[in-house]
Amino acid sequence: GTERVDEGRRTSTTTMAVADRSLVAATATAATCMAATLILRITFVLKTIHDDSNDSVTKKRRTKRKRPVSTLVVLGSGGHTTEMIRLLTCLEAKRYSPLAYVLATSDTTSLDRIEASPAARHGDAVYRIPRSREVGQSYITSIFTTIRSFI
């Protein structure tokens, strides 16, 4: 009787170990894909910036621009909203307008802080988007919420 119980425990332990390995492999694959995408995007942006900075036409256009520039302000947690308020105080209102704010649907304080700040400008539009990963959310479920946030 004792041998059968031990065998059952070994089998369930082995099954759990295989499931854990599969979970780790899936998480590692998702993390690798996200990291590769991020690296490609950063490379593309840096190349574009570098190419634009060497273009004499772009330099002329940049210095003689008379029209206002549409500006997107992304708000977030962890001090990011405070940084954005500081940056907004440095921008000329006539040159950088209209303003559009983007914040997470679960963010309850950032917009209030912008509205309460005398230094910040009130935007023409506010866009709320789903957060790809909430604080404390498991990495496995964040795969699905990240996909949802792109839709």
Side-chain angles (χ1 to χ4, degrees):
T2 307
E3 292 176 21
R4 287 185 184 171
V5 171
D6 288 341
E7 269 184 44
R9 285 185 186 159
R10 265 188 244 138
T11 303
S12 65
T13 305
T14 304
T15 304
M16 286 175 41
V18 169
D20 287 345
R21 283 189 209 123
S22 298
L23 185 62
V24 168
T27 304
T29 301
T32 302
C33 289
M34 291 173 72
T37 303
L38 182 63
I39 289 169
L40 287 172
R41 180 67 180 148
I42 289 171
T43 303
F44 175 76
V45 169
L46 290 176
K47 183 177 180 340
T48 302
I49 290 170
H50 176 70
D51 290 348
D52 284 350
S53 67
N54 291 333
D55 184 8
S56 62
V57 173
T58 305
K59 286 182 183 178
K60 288 178 187 173
R61 211 177 329 142
R62 203 177 294 148
T63 57
K64 294 186 180 192
R65 185 176 190 105
K66 303 285 185 203
R67 295 180 300 157
V69 178
S70 297
T71 307
L72 179 68
V73 180
V74 181
L75 304 176
S77 57
H80 189 74
T81 299
T82 303
E83 292 171 10
M84 289 294 107
I85 291 171
R86 281 192 202 141
L87 286 171
L88 288 173
T89 61
C90 300
L91 297 179
E92 295 175 40
K94 289 180 183 178
R95 188 169 182 169
Y96 295 94
S97 65
L99 279 183
Y101 293 102
V102 174
L103 61 148
T105 52
S106 61
D107 189 341
T108 58
T109 59
S110 292
L111 193 58
D112 294 338
R113 291 190 56 213
I114 287 289
E115 290 173 351
S117 172
R121 300 185 348 238
H122 300 289
D124 296 326
V126 175
Y127 300 98
R128 291 189 172 270
I129 59 172
R131 192 182 298 255
S132 63
R133 182 176 176 269
E134 296 290 339
V135 175
Q137 181 181 355
S138 76
Y139 291 109
I140 293 300
T141 60
S142 70
I143 294 169
F144 303 108
T145 55
T146 300
I147 292 169
R148 186 193 76 207
S149 69
F150 280 111
I151 298 173

